[in-house]
Structure formats: structure tokens, C-alpha cells
Amino acid sequence: MQLPRILVFTLIISSSFWVFSDSFAAELLDLEVVKEGDRFFIESEIFISADSDSVLFALTDYERFAEISSRFKESRFIEPAEDGTPRVYTKIAGCILFFCKSVERVALLNVKTPLMLVAVTDPNLSDLNFGYEIWELIEMQNGTVIDYRYEVEPSFWIPPIIGPWAVKRILNRDMLSAPAKIEQLAQAR
């Protein structure tokens, strides 16, 4: 069966537009979640259609950081550490399967280079025994790739049924909208 010429032309134009517009929009490129013992290792790559300075600005704007994901209930800067290092507070709430939890975190925020941001959790002020996040920004011709790595150990009990597949499923849902929100914050700078 042969499709009518106008329909074929419309499909070509539509698919070309989709490929063109997708290549310049925020996009989750990869997401991996691994659990070893009590720790989760999360890695992702996100493409953002904005320059690295604007992306870094969006990732360090903790007055608006909670806008990145619906799981974030609060985010803000708090009093700096004694050495002057900025500290941030975040509160995340959500459910994985039947397990619902609200998690508070205080972390030291270090801009290592103009292309690398590191957040180290303070376990004394957080619901985490350990947390180490790295956002590495890779400049591309049409934007920035965020290479994100997070090693985290909760201080609370997690049901054994909640494995990496469940965490990845929830993160996948969040990561469908988060890149667009980061891009929006970066472009609004």
C-alpha cells in the first residue's frame, strides 16, 4: 500500500522538525542507578541548551533550586560554614512504591572550577549518613552536558524491595521534566 504523497511529505516535515527541535532542547541522555550495601550510586548525563555559565548559575541558585523537581519541597542557602563555604538546605519528599519519606539535607557547596560543582552532605544535620554529589559541566557547541554523579547512604531504613530498579524508575519520571526546568532557569538568567 502506498501512502498519499501529501501524507508522506507531512510525515517527513514532522519528523524532521521533531529531530531538529529535539537536538536543541534539554534532554536526559543517560541514567544509571546501582546499589552496593547501603549506598546508592546514581549517574546521569543531561543536555541543556544553554552555556555552561548559565547552567552553573541555575544549579547554584538555591532560592529557586526546588523548582527543578516536584520532589523538592524546600531549598535555600543557610548560614555558611565556619570557613565561609556556602551551605545549602534541601528537603525532598516522595514515595517509591509503598514507601514514603521526607528527607532533609544540609550540604557544603563548592564550585571547584567554573565547570565543576561539588556538594558534600553534613551527616550531623541531615537524614543521610553520607552524600557526595558532583555536577561536571561539559561545554558543547549548542549547549552544555551535565555529567552528574551522586553517592548517597540514607540514615533511615529502606525496605529491601526498593532496589536500584525502583529508584531508577522514580528518577526517570523526575528526569523527564528536570532537564527542561534547569534549561528554563539557565536561559532566564
Side-chain angles (χ1 to χ4, degrees):
M1 177 178 160
Q2 196 170 18
L3 293 172
R5 226 180 263 232
I6 189 71
L7 181 58
V8 171
F9 180 74
T10 303
L11 289 171
I12 291 170
I13 295 297
S14 297
S15 64
S16 296
F17 175 75
W18 182 79
V19 169
F20 177 78
S21 64
D22 240 16
S23 65
F24 293 103
E27 180 181 1
L28 174 64
L29 303 174
D30 188 34
L31 175 62
E32 295 297 323
V33 179
V34 175
K35 185 174 188 269
E36 291 180 12
D38 292 333
R39 289 198 179 173
F40 286 89
F41 298 84
I42 301 163
E43 293 186 18
S44 70
E45 279 190 350
I46 302 168
F47 176 78
I48 304 295
S49 183
D51 63 87
S52 61
D53 288 340
S54 297
V55 172
L56 183 64
F57 178 81
L59 292 175
T60 56
D61 183 0
Y62 270 81
E63 301 309 317
R64 297 190 67 192
F65 193 82
E67 295 175 27
I68 291 174
S69 169
S70 61
R71 293 193 178 284
F72 282 99
K73 301 307 175 196
E74 293 180 51
S75 64
R76 65 180 177 275
F77 282 99
I78 59 174
E79 186 176 321
E82 287 182 19
D83 66 359
T85 303
R87 290 188 319 157
V88 294
Y89 167 83
T90 54
K91 182 177 183 179
I92 300 171
C95 299
I96 298 178
L97 301 174
F98 59 86
F99 182 73
C100 297
K101 183 73 178 160
S102 177
V103 178
E104 295 181 284
R105 178 188 77 150
V106 171
L108 294 170
L109 190 64
N110 293 295
V111 178
K112 295 291 187 182
T113 71
L115 298 175
M116 185 180 287
L117 177 66
V118 175
V120 180
T121 299
D122 181 342
N124 298 318
L125 301 172
S126 305
D127 294 324
L128 304 171
N129 288 332
F130 180 83
Y132 189 81
E133 279 179 296
I134 299 174
W135 289 270
E136 188 172 354
L137 308 180
I138 303 160
E139 294 186 50
M140 306 296 281
Q141 182 177 355
N142 297 323
T144 304
V145 170
I146 302 171
D147 181 16
Y148 175 77
R149 295 178 302 273
Y150 188 27
E151 181 179 347
V152 61
E153 181 181 321
S155 61
F156 49 89
W157 178 80
I158 297 178
I161 193 165
I162 298 177
W165 65 271
V167 173
K168 185 174 181 175
R169 192 172 128 230
I170 295 301
L171 288 175
N172 251 330
R173 263 193 264 149
D174 280 357
M175 293 301 254
L176 292 175
S177 62
K181 301 255 177 136
I182 294 169
E183 185 172 276
Q184 182 182 20
L185 291 172
Q187 291 177 350
R189 178 180 175 214

